[in-house]
Amino acid sequence: MGDFLHKDIEKILVSQNEIENIVNTLANQLEKDYNYKEFIMIGLLKGSMVFLADLMRKIKLDFAIDFMVASSYGSGTESSGKVLISKDISVPIDNKDILIVEDIVDSGITLDYISKHLYSKGAKSVAICTLFDKPARRIKNIDITYKGMTVPDEFVVGYGLDYNEKYRNLPYVGILKSSVYSDNM
């Protein structure tokens, strides 16, 4: 079954089948690395929800999940480097291995802050698992232990990634037409 091209999508960057293969590869690696560990997967909402749901169903281990909502904020499209946690974790993480699950890493500001925050709450270890890495936007040098794929510096949406809360439901990741967002910049 082919991927339907939404009218606002310039082109499909990562197909539904490619995403499924990436998720399977990451799940296999996580099963090996987290076997016999008491770990918690923490999804960063809202973007990671689709990836986390697919990933967790592929991992044949026992683990807990929780969610956080955090964002770096500033004026317009530029981050100030300040991070606001609007929903913190609700499970104790003392001496637990933590796996942060993210849809895409760009500046690294939020993940750097969250990693330090989780260590301050008693985490034994904190690792990052991202479906997509966009290193062209990196400001903070962070260690990404599990990386699905590197993407170019394009405005990508789909599979949890949004623009103005739209396009998260697309089963693939596509490059958004600039005409969609240029009027709002």
Side-chain angles (χ1 to χ4, degrees):
M1 181 169 119
D3 291 321
F4 167 76
L5 189 63
H6 186 282
K7 66 179 177 57
D8 294 340
I9 302 299
E10 187 177 306
K11 74 174 191 177
I12 294 174
L13 185 64
V14 189
S15 72
Q16 189 172 356
N17 286 340
E18 289 172 309
I19 291 171
E20 190 174 327
N21 289 337
I22 292 168
V23 171
N24 287 335
T25 299
L26 289 170
N28 289 337
Q29 189 61 52
L30 290 166
E31 272 186 17
K32 290 176 191 159
D33 293 354
Y34 283 87
N35 198 11
Y36 305 111
K37 289 186 178 182
E38 192 172 349
F39 75 104
I40 302 171
M41 292 176 92
I42 297 179
L44 301 185
L45 294 176
K46 300 176 187 169
S48 73
M49 67 177 195
V50 179
F51 175 43
L52 177 69
D54 286 350
L55 183 65
M56 64 185 270
R57 287 187 298 227
K58 301 280 184 187
I59 298 173
K60 296 165 192 70
L61 299 173
D62 293 327
F63 56 91
I65 65 164
D66 203 350
F67 297 95
M68 290 181 76
V69 178
S71 57
S72 57
Y73 59 97
S75 59
T77 58
E78 293 301 311
S79 171
S80 66
K82 295 179 183 166
V83 176
L84 173 68
I85 295 177
S86 52
K87 187 229 175 284
D88 204 345
I89 55 173
S90 55
V91 296
I93 62 169
D94 280 345
N95 210 31
K96 301 272 192 317
D97 293 300
I98 305 299
L99 181 68
I100 300 172
V101 178
E102 180 65 301
D103 53 354
I104 190 165
V105 177
D106 45 35
S107 74
I109 292 169
T110 301
L111 283 170
D112 179 63
Y113 184 88
I114 288 174
S115 296
K116 290 173 183 166
H117 174 73
L118 293 171
Y119 274 119
S120 77
K121 287 181 155 286
K124 179 182 188 179
S125 71
V126 177
I128 297 168
C129 175
T130 187
L131 183 60
F132 300 113
D133 182 25
K134 192 189 285 189
R137 295 274 180 165
R138 194 79 76 246
I139 293 169
K140 284 281 188 181
N141 187 18
I142 57 170
D143 181 27
I144 303 171
T145 311
Y146 305 96
K147 184 186 329 181
M149 142 179 214
T150 300
V151 293
D153 190 11
E154 299 277 0
F155 204 129
V156 293
V157 295
Y159 197 75
L161 296 158
D162 76 302
Y163 172 66
N164 281 348
E165 297 299 326
K166 291 168 35 181
Y167 314 108
R168 291 188 196 276
N169 61 318
L170 296 176
Y172 54 82
V173 171
I175 297 174
L176 192 62
K177 290 179 180 173
S178 61
S179 59
V180 174
Y181 58 87
S182 59
D183 295 340
N184 296 325
M185 295 280 199

mmCIF file of all heavy atoms in Angstrom, residues 40-53 56 64-70 85-91 99-101 114 117-118:
data_model
loop_
_atom_site.group_PDB
_atom_site.id
_atom_site.type_symbol
_atom_site.label_atom_id
_atom_site.label_comp_id
_atom_site.label_asym_id
_atom_site.label_seq_id
_atom_site.Cartn_x
_atom_site.Cartn_y
_atom_site.Cartn_z
ATOM 1 N N ILE A 40 12.683 2.667 32.619
ATOM 2 C CA ILE A 40 11.456 3.421 32.367
ATOM 3 C C ILE A 40 11.642 4.194 31.064
ATOM 4 O O ILE A 40 12.639 4.892 30.885
ATOM 5 C CB ILE A 40 11.163 4.417 33.511
ATOM 6 C CG1 ILE A 40 11.047 3.681 34.848
ATOM 7 C CG2 ILE A 40 9.887 5.210 33.220
ATOM 8 C CD1 ILE A 40 10.971 4.605 36.052
ATOM 9 N N MET A 41 10.678 4.041 30.168
ATOM 10 C CA MET A 41 10.670 4.836 28.942
ATOM 11 C C MET A 41 9.869 6.099 29.231
ATOM 12 O O MET A 41 8.734 6.012 29.694
ATOM 13 C CB MET A 41 10.004 4.071 27.796
ATOM 14 C CG MET A 41 10.772 2.872 27.315
ATOM 15 S SD MET A 41 9.846 1.961 26.048
ATOM 16 C CE MET A 41 10.468 2.719 24.589
ATOM 17 N N ILE A 42 10.464 7.247 28.957
ATOM 18 C CA ILE A 42 9.769 8.517 29.168
ATOM 19 C C ILE A 42 9.601 9.198 27.816
ATOM 20 O O ILE A 42 10.579 9.576 27.167
ATOM 21 C CB ILE A 42 10.532 9.420 30.150
ATOM 22 C CG1 ILE A 42 10.590 8.735 31.519
ATOM 23 C CG2 ILE A 42 9.869 10.800 30.231
ATOM 24 C CD1 ILE A 42 11.327 9.502 32.583
ATOM 25 N N GLY A 43 8.351 9.309 27.397
ATOM 26 C CA GLY A 43 8.036 9.962 26.134
ATOM 27 C C GLY A 43 7.855 11.453 26.327
ATOM 28 O O GLY A 43 7.247 11.888 27.312
ATOM 29 N N LEU A 44 8.404 12.226 25.404
ATOM 30 C CA LEU A 44 8.223 13.670 25.434
ATOM 31 C C LEU A 44 7.042 14.019 24.537
ATOM 32 O O LEU A 44 7.087 13.784 23.327
ATOM 33 C CB LEU A 44 9.496 14.388 24.982
ATOM 34 C CG LEU A 44 10.744 14.090 25.824
ATOM 35 C CD1 LEU A 44 11.904 14.946 25.366
ATOM 36 C CD2 LEU A 44 10.474 14.301 27.305
ATOM 37 N N LEU A 45 5.997 14.503 25.172
ATOM 38 C CA LEU A 45 4.756 14.808 24.451
ATOM 39 C C LEU A 45 4.843 16.176 23.795
ATOM 40 O O LEU A 45 5.560 17.041 24.272
ATOM 41 C CB LEU A 45 3.575 14.788 25.428
ATOM 42 C CG LEU A 45 3.258 13.419 26.025
ATOM 43 C CD1 LEU A 45 2.130 13.544 27.044
ATOM 44 C CD2 LEU A 45 2.905 12.405 24.954
ATOM 45 N N LYS A 46 4.144 16.331 22.699
ATOM 46 C CA LYS A 46 3.215 15.426 22.092
ATOM 47 C C LYS A 46 3.870 14.604 20.993
ATOM 48 O O LYS A 46 3.392 13.553 20.621
ATOM 49 C CB LYS A 46 2.041 16.193 21.480
ATOM 50 C CG LYS A 46 1.242 17.012 22.450
ATOM 51 C CD LYS A 46 0.162 17.800 21.721
ATOM 52 C CE LYS A 46 -0.512 18.745 22.699
ATOM 53 N NZ LYS A 46 -1.379 19.689 21.974
ATOM 54 N N GLY A 47 4.946 15.097 20.464
ATOM 55 C CA GLY A 47 5.561 14.528 19.268
ATOM 56 C C GLY A 47 5.939 13.069 19.334
ATOM 57 O O GLY A 47 5.839 12.354 18.335
ATOM 58 N N SER A 48 6.359 12.587 20.493
ATOM 59 C CA SER A 48 6.874 11.214 20.586
ATOM 60 C C SER A 48 5.793 10.155 20.694
ATOM 61 O O SER A 48 6.089 8.969 20.652
ATOM 62 C CB SER A 48 7.803 11.077 21.795
ATOM 63 O OG SER A 48 7.046 11.092 22.995
ATOM 64 N N MET A 49 4.528 10.549 20.840
ATOM 65 C CA MET A 49 3.485 9.568 21.170
ATOM 66 C C MET A 49 3.344 8.452 20.133
ATOM 67 O O MET A 49 3.177 7.298 20.503
ATOM 68 C CB MET A 49 2.144 10.252 21.416
ATOM 69 C CG MET A 49 1.548 10.900 20.214
ATOM 70 S SD MET A 49 -0.061 11.587 20.593
ATOM 71 C CE MET A 49 -0.636 11.840 18.927
ATOM 72 N N VAL A 50 3.412 8.766 18.867
ATOM 73 C CA VAL A 50 3.249 7.748 17.827
ATOM 74 C C VAL A 50 4.454 6.802 17.837
ATOM 75 O O VAL A 50 4.304 5.575 17.841
ATOM 76 C CB VAL A 50 3.070 8.397 16.434
ATOM 77 C CG1 VAL A 50 2.933 7.328 15.355
ATOM 78 C CG2 VAL A 50 1.857 9.319 16.425
ATOM 79 N N PHE A 51 5.647 7.369 17.876
ATOM 80 C CA PHE A 51 6.883 6.591 17.907
ATOM 81 C C PHE A 51 6.943 5.724 19.164
ATOM 82 O O PHE A 51 7.240 4.529 19.094
ATOM 83 C CB PHE A 51 8.074 7.546 17.826
ATOM 84 C CG PHE A 51 9.422 6.902 17.971
ATOM 85 C CD1 PHE A 51 9.739 5.706 17.340
ATOM 86 C CD2 PHE A 51 10.406 7.518 18.739
ATOM 87 C CE1 PHE A 51 11.003 5.126 17.467
ATOM 88 C CE2 PHE A 51 11.670 6.956 18.872
ATOM 89 C CZ PHE A 51 11.959 5.750 18.254
ATOM 90 N N LEU A 52 6.648 6.297 20.321
ATOM 91 C CA LEU A 52 6.683 5.548 21.575
ATOM 92 C C LEU A 52 5.704 4.383 21.542
ATOM 93 O O LEU A 52 6.042 3.266 21.952
ATOM 94 C CB LEU A 52 6.377 6.459 22.772
ATOM 95 C CG LEU A 52 6.315 5.759 24.123
ATOM 96 C CD1 LEU A 52 7.682 5.272 24.556
ATOM 97 C CD2 LEU A 52 5.747 6.673 25.183
ATOM 98 N N ALA A 53 4.499 4.622 21.048
ATOM 99 C CA ALA A 53 3.487 3.556 20.998
ATOM 100 C C ALA A 53 3.966 2.396 20.127
ATOM 101 O O ALA A 53 3.855 1.226 20.517
ATOM 102 C CB ALA A 53 2.164 4.104 20.467
ATOM 103 N N MET A 56 7.288 0.686 21.872
ATOM 104 C CA MET A 56 7.063 -0.110 23.083
ATOM 105 C C MET A 56 6.379 -1.438 22.787
ATOM 106 O O MET A 56 6.620 -2.419 23.475
ATOM 107 C CB MET A 56 6.294 0.684 24.146
ATOM 108 C CG MET A 56 4.896 1.069 23.754
ATOM 109 S SD MET A 56 4.109 2.124 24.991
ATOM 110 C CE MET A 56 3.363 0.889 26.026
ATOM 111 N N ALA A 64 8.341 0.230 32.586
ATOM 112 C CA ALA A 64 7.294 1.215 32.837
ATOM 113 C C ALA A 64 7.420 2.332 31.805
ATOM 114 O O ALA A 64 8.471 2.497 31.181
ATOM 115 C CB ALA A 64 7.439 1.780 34.253
ATOM 116 N N ILE A 65 6.338 3.083 31.649
ATOM 117 C CA ILE A 65 6.399 4.276 30.803
ATOM 118 C C ILE A 65 5.856 5.463 31.587
ATOM 119 O O ILE A 65 5.082 5.302 32.525
ATOM 120 C CB ILE A 65 5.635 4.132 29.472
ATOM 121 C CG1 ILE A 65 4.135 3.985 29.710
ATOM 122 C CG2 ILE A 65 6.179 3.002 28.632
ATOM 123 C CD1 ILE A 65 3.301 4.232 28.473
ATOM 124 N N ASP A 66 6.286 6.624 31.198
ATOM 125 C CA ASP A 66 5.750 7.863 31.742
ATOM 126 C C ASP A 66 5.935 8.926 30.659
ATOM 127 O O ASP A 66 6.539 8.659 29.614
ATOM 128 C CB ASP A 66 6.463 8.254 33.034
ATOM 129 C CG ASP A 66 5.607 9.188 33.906
ATOM 130 O OD1 ASP A 66 4.562 9.676 33.435
ATOM 131 O OD2 ASP A 66 6.004 9.439 35.057
ATOM 132 N N PHE A 67 5.407 10.108 30.926
ATOM 133 C CA PHE A 67 5.477 11.181 29.945
ATOM 134 C C PHE A 67 5.880 12.483 30.599
ATOM 135 O O PHE A 67 5.643 12.704 31.782
ATOM 136 C CB PHE A 67 4.109 11.377 29.269
ATOM 137 C CG PHE A 67 3.664 10.178 28.486
ATOM 138 C CD1 PHE A 67 2.825 9.236 29.055
ATOM 139 C CD2 PHE A 67 4.106 9.988 27.194
ATOM 140 C CE1 PHE A 67 2.423 8.122 28.334
ATOM 141 C CE2 PHE A 67 3.717 8.875 26.470
ATOM 142 C CZ PHE A 67 2.879 7.944 27.038
ATOM 143 N N MET A 68 6.488 13.320 29.785
ATOM 144 C CA MET A 68 6.819 14.685 30.189
ATOM 145 C C MET A 68 6.405 15.621 29.064
ATOM 146 O O MET A 68 6.383 15.218 27.895
ATOM 147 C CB MET A 68 8.326 14.859 30.412
ATOM 148 C CG MET A 68 8.882 14.159 31.625
ATOM 149 S SD MET A 68 10.668 14.472 31.814
ATOM 150 C CE MET A 68 10.645 16.151 32.454
ATOM 151 N N VAL A 69 6.099 16.842 29.454
ATOM 152 C CA VAL A 69 5.889 17.901 28.475
ATOM 153 C C VAL A 69 6.866 19.008 28.844
ATOM 154 O O VAL A 69 6.845 19.513 29.963
ATOM 155 C CB VAL A 69 4.438 18.439 28.502
ATOM 156 C CG1 VAL A 69 4.278 19.588 27.502
ATOM 157 C CG2 VAL A 69 3.438 17.331 28.209
ATOM 158 N N ALA A 70 7.742 19.319 27.921
ATOM 159 C CA ALA A 70 8.740 20.363 28.145
ATOM 160 C C ALA A 70 9.027 21.052 26.823
ATOM 161 O O ALA A 70 8.917 20.445 25.765
ATOM 162 C CB ALA A 70 10.023 19.769 28.707
ATOM 163 N N ILE A 85 9.192 22.967 31.999
ATOM 164 C CA ILE A 85 8.559 21.647 32.138
ATOM 165 C C ILE A 85 7.133 21.895 32.596
ATOM 166 O O ILE A 85 6.902 22.350 33.716
ATOM 167 C CB ILE A 85 9.315 20.757 33.150
ATOM 168 C CG1 ILE A 85 10.715 20.437 32.632
ATOM 169 C CG2 ILE A 85 8.532 19.466 33.416
ATOM 170 C CD1 ILE A 85 11.572 19.619 33.586
ATOM 171 N N SER A 86 6.175 21.627 31.725
ATOM 172 C CA SER A 86 4.774 21.849 32.099
ATOM 173 C C SER A 86 4.101 20.583 32.619
ATOM 174 O O SER A 86 3.052 20.648 33.224
ATOM 175 C CB SER A 86 3.988 22.444 30.927
ATOM 176 O OG SER A 86 4.162 21.690 29.764
ATOM 177 N N LYS A 87 4.713 19.412 32.374
ATOM 178 C CA LYS A 87 4.252 18.164 32.984
ATOM 179 C C LYS A 87 5.479 17.317 33.274
ATOM 180 O O LYS A 87 6.188 16.919 32.373
ATOM 181 C CB LYS A 87 3.293 17.390 32.076
ATOM 182 C CG LYS A 87 2.682 16.161 32.778
ATOM 183 C CD LYS A 87 2.801 14.901 31.928
ATOM 184 C CE LYS A 87 2.329 13.660 32.617
ATOM 185 N NZ LYS A 87 3.244 13.105 33.616
ATOM 186 N N ASP A 88 5.710 17.090 34.565
ATOM 187 C CA ASP A 88 6.865 16.300 34.972
ATOM 188 C C ASP A 88 6.456 14.826 35.069
ATOM 189 O O ASP A 88 5.269 14.485 34.993
ATOM 190 C CB ASP A 88 7.391 16.802 36.329
ATOM 191 C CG ASP A 88 8.866 16.477 36.554
ATOM 192 O OD1 ASP A 88 9.420 15.631 35.824
ATOM 193 O OD2 ASP A 88 9.460 17.068 37.468
ATOM 194 N N ILE A 89 7.436 13.958 35.254
ATOM 195 C CA ILE A 89 7.160 12.537 35.426
ATOM 196 C C ILE A 89 6.368 12.320 36.711
ATOM 197 O O ILE A 89 6.430 13.134 37.631
ATOM 198 C CB ILE A 89 8.450 11.696 35.440
ATOM 199 C CG1 ILE A 89 9.430 12.220 36.505
ATOM 200 C CG2 ILE A 89 9.072 11.648 34.069
ATOM 201 C CD1 ILE A 89 10.640 11.348 36.705
ATOM 202 N N SER A 90 5.632 11.216 36.756
ATOM 203 C CA SER A 90 4.796 10.940 37.927
ATOM 204 C C SER A 90 5.186 9.642 38.626
ATOM 205 O O SER A 90 4.546 9.248 39.577
ATOM 206 C CB SER A 90 3.322 10.893 37.515
ATOM 207 O OG SER A 90 3.132 9.953 36.480
ATOM 208 N N VAL A 91 6.233 8.986 38.142
ATOM 209 C CA VAL A 91 6.697 7.755 38.788
ATOM 210 C C VAL A 91 8.079 8.007 39.394
ATOM 211 O O VAL A 91 8.853 8.806 38.874
ATOM 212 C CB VAL A 91 6.780 6.564 37.790
ATOM 213 C CG1 VAL A 91 5.404 6.213 37.246
ATOM 214 C CG2 VAL A 91 7.745 6.839 36.649
ATOM 215 N N LEU A 99 15.105 5.856 29.720
ATOM 216 C CA LEU A 99 15.233 6.002 28.277
ATOM 217 C C LEU A 99 14.260 7.088 27.835
ATOM 218 O O LEU A 99 13.042 6.900 27.895
ATOM 219 C CB LEU A 99 14.912 4.684 27.559
ATOM 220 C CG LEU A 99 15.035 4.729 26.042
ATOM 221 C CD1 LEU A 99 16.490 4.904 25.621
ATOM 222 C CD2 LEU A 99 14.452 3.477 25.417
ATOM 223 N N ILE A 100 14.803 8.235 27.448
ATOM 224 C CA ILE A 100 13.965 9.321 26.930
ATOM 225 C C ILE A 100 13.659 8.998 25.470
ATOM 226 O O ILE A 100 14.567 8.749 24.679
ATOM 227 C CB ILE A 100 14.678 10.680 27.014
ATOM 228 C CG1 ILE A 100 15.033 11.023 28.460
ATOM 229 C CG2 ILE A 100 13.807 11.774 26.393
ATOM 230 C CD1 ILE A 100 15.923 12.264 28.591
ATOM 231 N N VAL A 101 12.381 9.003 25.120
ATOM 232 C CA VAL A 101 11.962 8.717 23.745
ATOM 233 C C VAL A 101 11.461 10.019 23.125
ATOM 234 O O VAL A 101 10.546 10.662 23.645
ATOM 235 C CB VAL A 101 10.865 7.633 23.714
ATOM 236 C CG1 VAL A 101 10.405 7.371 22.282
ATOM 237 C CG2 VAL A 101 11.386 6.345 24.352
ATOM 238 N N ILE A 114 16.365 18.241 30.254
ATOM 239 C CA ILE A 114 15.604 17.121 30.810
ATOM 240 C C ILE A 114 16.539 16.037 31.345
ATOM 241 O O ILE A 114 16.284 15.461 32.403
ATOM 242 C CB ILE A 114 14.625 16.551 29.758
ATOM 243 C CG1 ILE A 114 13.477 17.539 29.549
ATOM 244 C CG2 ILE A 114 14.090 15.184 30.177
ATOM 245 C CD1 ILE A 114 12.531 17.167 28.444
ATOM 246 N N HIS A 117 17.745 17.154 34.625
ATOM 247 C CA HIS A 117 16.604 17.130 35.541
ATOM 248 C C HIS A 117 16.355 15.702 36.053
ATOM 249 O O HIS A 117 16.135 15.497 37.250
ATOM 250 C CB HIS A 117 15.366 17.677 34.809
ATOM 251 C CG HIS A 117 14.099 17.585 35.584
ATOM 252 N ND1 HIS A 117 13.809 18.405 36.658
ATOM 253 C CD2 HIS A 117 13.027 16.761 35.452
ATOM 254 C CE1 HIS A 117 12.623 18.093 37.135
ATOM 255 N NE2 HIS A 117 12.130 17.103 36.426
ATOM 256 N N LEU A 118 16.417 14.720 35.158
ATOM 257 C CA LEU A 118 16.164 13.327 35.555
ATOM 258 C C LEU A 118 17.285 12.795 36.446
ATOM 259 O O LEU A 118 17.032 12.054 37.396
ATOM 260 C CB LEU A 118 15.961 12.455 34.318
ATOM 261 C CG LEU A 118 14.686 12.772 33.518
ATOM 262 C CD1 LEU A 118 14.678 12.024 32.195
ATOM 263 C CD2 LEU A 118 13.444 12.471 34.325
#
